[in-house]
Amino acid sequence: MANELLPAEEPSSSEVPVNFGERPSDGDLAPEESAEHRLLLRDFGGARDASLAALDAMVCDELGTGAAVRLAFVLGQSLFELDELADSDKRYLRRVFGSFKSIPDEVVVLWLALLARKGERETLRRSSDAFVKLNSDRLADVSGGAFAQVYAFDVLCEALGEPGRAREFAEGTLSGKGDAVAREALLARIEEHEASVAAEEDDAERRVAEEPEAAQAEAAGEED
């Protein structure tokens, strides 16, 4: 009969409906995805523990992979949010990678940027000095030049307050013909930073000088 109901066909694997509203469980995710998932949920303690455990479980050959980089990113960001970046070079980076010579370049750049933003000066100075010493022959090329920018400006200028060293680094490290544009741009940023700091210092000195005059004027007004 034309109107006879036919038995429903079993859907093929490509036709099975997917509920996009469900969150995947940790068991369905790769370790780096699970750690990232916790970070997105702002479970910073869980993200720290998950990323560190996954990194600790990796063998040496795996520590240079994209998965290791992603895990290290999660670890660094979690420590930043938890305010636990102090001595993180000793407690985490060296524990996982052994030497600054072995840490993926992208991880170093991110870690230094986080340390600089957090103002962890002691850890920042120790970490950056160690990396510069061990990689002095290739600093201009680390992460496509990103390290030179972060180290000179974020680390030396802003975090450590050493624009003179930043200028020396830029002029000495970015000395090749192909580095001219990056060097001039970096030197311009350093000069702008110095001018801004000088202006702030002048403004602070002016306010200090004006305070006694303001106090005297206020006292005179009270006497009247």
Side-chain angles (χ1 to χ4, degrees):
M1 297 175 60
N3 294 327
E4 184 178 354
L5 295 177
L6 299 177
E9 295 183 0
E10 291 293 329
S12 67
S13 58
S14 60
E15 296 174 339
V16 175
V18 178
N19 184 354
F20 291 101
E22 293 184 359
R23 294 184 180 275
S25 66
D26 281 355
D28 298 327
L29 302 174
E32 63 273 18
E33 294 173 333
S34 175
E36 290 168 344
H37 182 62
R38 291 173 182 269
L39 183 64
L40 289 173
L41 293 177
R42 302 186 66 81
D43 177 11
F44 301 125
R48 174 201 58 203
D49 296 343
S51 57
L52 184 59
L55 285 167
D56 281 340
M58 287 183 167
V59 297
C60 291
D61 290 345
E62 296 175 317
L63 291 174
T65 63
V69 170
R70 289 168 64 180
L71 287 165
F73 276 23
V74 172
L75 177 59
Q77 193 67 50
S78 300
L79 295 174
F80 178 90
E81 298 292 348
L82 293 167
D83 200 19
E84 295 179 357
L85 276 173
D87 292 327
S88 57
D89 56 332
K90 296 178 179 179
R91 297 174 57 197
Y92 299 105
L93 288 180
R94 291 186 183 278
R95 164 181 166 175
V96 171
F97 297 100
S99 166
F100 271 97
K101 196 82 172 177
S102 305
I103 303 173
D105 293 342
E106 307 96 308
V107 175
V108 172
V109 172
L110 172 72
W111 217 275
L112 293 185
L114 291 173
L115 286 167
R117 186 177 175 187
K118 204 66 170 179
E120 294 290 352
R121 292 167 59 92
E122 182 179 346
T123 304
L124 179 61
R125 186 185 298 278
R126 183 173 59 240
S127 302
S128 59
D129 285 353
F131 186 81
V132 167
K133 182 179 180 180
L134 291 170
N135 298 274
S136 59
D137 58 336
R138 63 184 194 95
L139 293 175
D141 302 319
V142 174
S143 284
F147 172 81
Q149 298 289 326
V150 168
Y151 177 65
F153 191 77
D154 298 62
V155 175
L156 293 178
C157 265
E158 292 196 321
L160 300 182
E162 300 178 2
R165 279 187 65 194
R167 188 181 299 102
E168 290 177 4
F169 174 83
E171 293 173 341
T173 302
L174 303 177
S175 56
K177 291 183 179 180
D179 300 324
V181 173
R183 180 179 64 249
E184 294 307 315
L186 182 53
L187 289 172
R189 290 181 70 195
I190 294 170
E191 183 176 352
E192 183 180 347
H193 173 78
E194 287 184 295
S196 176
V197 171
E200 290 177 1
E201 291 176 348
D202 290 344
D203 187 52
E205 291 177 359
R206 178 182 56 77
R207 289 199 303 270
V208 170
E210 290 175 350
E211 285 178 359
E213 297 179 3
Q216 291 176 4
E218 184 179 350
E222 292 176 355
E223 289 177 0
D224 293 341

